[in-house]
Amino acid sequence: MDLYEHQARELFAEHGIVVPPAEVTDSPKQAREIARRLGGRVVVKAQVKTGGRGKAGGVKLAADPAAAELTARQILGMDIKGHTVGTVMLARPVDIAEEFYVSYVLDRAAGRFLAIASAEGGMDIEEVAATRPGAVARVPVDPAEGVTPATASRIAEAAGLPPGTVDVLVRLWEVLVREDALLVEVNPLVRTRDGRIVALDGKVTLDDNAVFRQARWGAEDGAHHDPLEAAAAAKGLNYVKLDGEVGIIGNGAGLVMSTLDVVAGCGARPANFLDIGGGASAQIMADGLAVVLSDPSVKSVFVNVFGGITACDAVADGIVRALDTVRLTKPLVVRLDGNNAARGRAVLDSYAHPLVEQVATMDGAASRAAHLATTP
C-alpha cells in the first residue's frame, strides 16, 4: 500500500526526521488560510500516489496567500498519470544548499534490503542513475543487522553524503522496520543554508501483508486511488497501472511478467499488468479487456494466452463478448497457444473485427503490438 506524501512525512516526523511545517486541504479557500499560517510564501504540492508531479505541473511555489489559493485551484482536479488530484499539501519553503537522494527498498531476489543513495538528488535522479550510474551508491543491508550508525556511515561515504545525513539514514531504517515498509524514499533530502538536514518529500510503500498492523492508513479516501485500478479491483481483477502505451493481458503472473519484458524489448512500454488467472472465464476476459481499453494512454492491446486450465476458445469468446459491448478504437493483437488454441483462433477469425489481428508467436505478437503503439 502506497502512502501519500503527507502521510510519509507524518511518519518521518514521528521518527525524529525534520520536515518543513505543512498542512493538507481540498479547498482553494482553505489554502489561502493555510498559507497565511505558514508565513505567506508556500510550496503547493499535489497529493497523488505517483511520481512525476513536478514535471506535470503539480508542484508550484506560491509567493503569498492569494497566490496559494489560485495555485491550489489550478492543481486540484488535475490529472497526473491517470490520478486525479483531490488534495494539495502546502509546505513552508526552505533555503536549500544541497539536494540528496536516499532510499531503502526490498531486494526480493537477494533476500535483503538495498540502500540507494546519491549526492545528486532532485527530480532528475532517474536520469542520473541512467547516465552516470557511478553517482548512485547501492549498499546491501542485512535485515538481521539493520542500519546501525556504522552502516549508515558506510552508506553516506559511498554516496558522498555529508556526515549530518548519518542520523537520518538510521531513522529512515527505523521507519521501514517499525512501519512494515517495503520502500522508504526521500527525494530530495536537503542540507539547508543554516546546516539542517531536512526531508522535503517522502515516498513510503507498506507491506500489504501487514495492513492489520497499520490500520490507521486504511481510512484514506479511496476516491483518490487510480480509477482503473479501483474499477479492476471491483471486478476481482489482478491489475496494476503502469506508464506505457501497450495494454497487456495474460493468464498467469509468470507469463504476464515475461510479456512485459518482451514488449519492452521491442521498444514500447507496457501500460499495465493484468493477469486473468489460470481458470479465467469468458466474463473475466471481457471484464479485463474493458478495463484495459478504458485507459486513454493505451495505443494497442496485446492479449497473450497459453491455454491450460483456461481454454483458448473461452478466451476468444471473452474477447468477442467484450467487443460486443465496448467500442474498439485501438488495435488488438492476440496470441493464442495451448488448450483449444485452434478453436479459439477460429472464433476470432469468424468474428472478423478489422482491428483484431492474430499472430502465432509471442515474440511476433509483442513486436506487432509495440509497432502499432509507437508508430504515428
Side-chain angles (χ1 to χ4, degrees):
M1 176 172 61
D2 293 330
L3 299 186
Y4 289 100
E5 177 193 6
H6 67 90
Q7 295 172 325
R9 286 164 47 100
E10 181 180 332
L11 284 181
F12 294 167
E14 290 175 4
H15 289 271
I17 299 167
V18 178
V19 296
E23 295 184 45
V24 179
T25 183
D26 60 1
S27 164
K29 186 175 181 180
Q30 289 180 359
R32 178 190 286 258
E33 297 304 316
I34 291 171
R36 185 176 290 113
R37 286 196 294 270
L38 293 175
R41 187 167 175 263
V42 292
V43 180
V44 185
K45 308 180 77 174
Q47 296 299 284
V48 288
K49 296 180 178 181
T50 187
R53 293 175 303 164
K55 293 180 180 179
V59 179
K60 294 183 179 180
L61 184 65
D64 53 48
E69 178 178 353
L70 177 61
T71 302
R73 194 178 304 279
Q74 293 170 341
I75 294 177
L76 286 167
M78 177 185 291
D79 180 276
I80 300 178
K81 296 183 179 179
H83 295 252
T84 301
V85 180
T87 58
V88 292
M89 184 183 73
L90 291 86
R92 183 179 296 163
V94 300
D95 194 2
I96 300 172
E98 294 180 277
E99 295 187 348
F100 317 116
Y101 173 92
V102 296
S103 70
Y104 296 115
V105 62
L106 177 62
D107 184 345
R108 295 183 185 275
R112 62 192 178 193
F113 282 88
L114 188 64
I116 304 175
S118 175
E120 301 182 34
M123 286 197 302
D124 295 321
I125 184 63
E126 294 85 359
E127 182 179 345
V128 171
T131 59
R132 288 179 289 112
V136 180
R138 295 170 173 82
V139 180
V141 176
D142 182 346
E145 177 185 351
V147 176
T148 63
T151 305
S153 294
R154 290 198 301 271
I155 296 169
E157 182 178 356
L161 305 181
T165 61
V166 170
D167 180 65
V168 173
L169 289 169
V170 173
R171 293 178 185 274
L172 283 174
W173 178 257
E174 292 176 358
V175 172
L176 183 138
V177 173
R178 296 182 185 177
E179 307 298 336
D180 297 305
L182 301 176
L183 167 70
V184 175
E185 176 186 88
V186 183
N187 185 33
L189 179 71
V190 306
R191 184 178 66 80
T192 64
R193 298 288 180 186
D194 57 5
R196 295 178 301 143
I197 302 297
V198 180
L200 293 193
D201 200 345
K203 182 176 182 181
V204 173
T205 300
L206 304 182
D207 186 347
D208 287 340
N209 295 309
V211 167
F212 69 98
R213 286 199 296 261
Q214 306 296 337
R216 62 170 164 161
W217 306 119
E220 185 70 37
D221 183 3
H224 303 320
H225 294 179
D226 183 273
L228 290 175
E229 292 186 353
K235 296 178 180 293
L237 297 172
N238 186 10
Y239 173 93
V240 178
K241 177 79 170 68
L242 302 174
D243 294 332
E245 57 278 333
V246 178
I248 305 292
I249 301 177
N251 62 323
L255 178 61
V256 178
M257 291 298 291
S258 297
T259 305
L260 301 182
D261 290 340
V262 174
V263 167
C266 293
R269 298 175 303 160
N272 66 274
F273 172 105
L274 176 53
D275 172 17
I276 61 173
S281 64
Q283 183 60 53
I284 291 176
M285 181 66 230
D287 289 343
L289 191 56
V291 169
V292 172
L293 288 171
S294 65
D295 182 350
S297 66
V298 167
K299 306 303 180 187
S300 71
V301 180
F302 178 18
V303 176
N304 187 22
V305 170
F306 187 85
I309 298 174
T310 305
C312 291
D313 56 338
V315 171
D317 286 339
I319 293 173
V320 170
R321 182 182 302 179
L323 297 182
D324 283 339
T325 58
V326 178
R327 181 169 175 265
L328 184 62
T329 59
K330 304 161 186 177
L332 178 67
V333 180
V334 182
R335 175 257 187 172
L336 300 176
D337 200 0
N339 183 16
N340 282 353
R343 191 177 301 171
R345 296 188 196 108
V347 169
L348 293 179
D349 284 340
S350 63
Y351 188 67
H353 194 290
L355 289 177
V356 177
E357 58 182 278
Q358 300 188 67
V359 179
T361 67
M362 177 173 168
D363 287 348
S367 178
R368 180 60 177 159
H371 174 76
L372 291 168
T374 57
T375 302

